[in-house]
Amino acid sequence: MEAYWLSSLGVLALCLLSVALAIYSGSSKGFAGKLSGPVIPADDDNSLYRIDRVHMNSVEALAPFVVPVLLAMMVGVEPVTLALLVWVHLALRLVHMIVYLRGGNAAKGGSVRTILYVSGALVTLVLVLVTGWAALR
């Protein structure tokens, strides 16, 4: 497992990002006097909504990515390949977060934000395929 130290750090960074966004979302709602749960109005112009959604997007993307990373380590995916996929995914998640939190046209559905989210999903797909291939060898 020592060979996967860089991938492990990337996964920990993804987890830390999700936890930080949970704290940011919860505290933002608290300071605004809102209850936990969905933010109304569900509108990309509402900063509380964007904060809540960027947190939920990070949670939604975490498990489908982390599980294949762990499996990739078990089946012996090349450490450099795995690290590259992990850090590209992390970079996409960070840029997605920044774009979404800033708001504006880039944060609206069907624009830059969506491209970033789908790109992260494609990296996850590549990870699954690489892991499957390694498992079959």
Side-chain angles (χ1 to χ4, degrees), residues 75-127:
V75 299
V77 168
E78 180 64 36
V80 173
T81 301
L82 184 58
L84 179 67
L85 291 169
V86 168
W87 286 91
V88 167
H89 185 78
L90 176 60
L92 288 167
R93 296 302 312 153
L94 286 170
V95 175
H96 174 269
M97 176 193 71
I98 291 165
V99 166
Y100 210 167
L101 291 176
R102 286 185 66 202
N105 286 335
K108 294 192 184 301
S111 65
V112 174
R113 174 185 62 114
T114 302
I115 292 167
L116 291 165
Y117 191 84
V118 170
S119 296
L122 290 174
V123 171
T124 302
L125 176 63
V126 170
L127 171 62

Side-chain angles (χ1 to χ4, degrees), residues 25-100:
S25 178
S27 63
S28 296
K29 289 176 187 177
F31 289 130
K34 303 290 182 185
L35 297 174
S36 62
V39 175
I40 309 280
D43 180 5
D44 284 330
D45 292 327
N46 179 349
S47 64
L48 280 180
Y49 174 75
R50 288 193 319 274
I51 293 167
D52 188 54
R53 285 307 308 152
V54 79
H55 165 245
M56 294 308 299
N57 284 166
S58 73
V59 171
E60 293 163 357
L62 190 60
F65 188 75
V66 171
V67 170
V69 168
L70 295 174
L71 292 172
M73 291 177 185
M74 290 177 176
V75 299
V77 168
E78 180 64 36
V80 173
T81 301
L82 184 58
L84 179 67
L85 291 169
V86 168
W87 286 91
V88 167
H89 185 78
L90 176 60
L92 288 167
R93 296 302 312 153
L94 286 170
V95 175
H96 174 269
M97 176 193 71
I98 291 165
V99 166
Y100 210 167

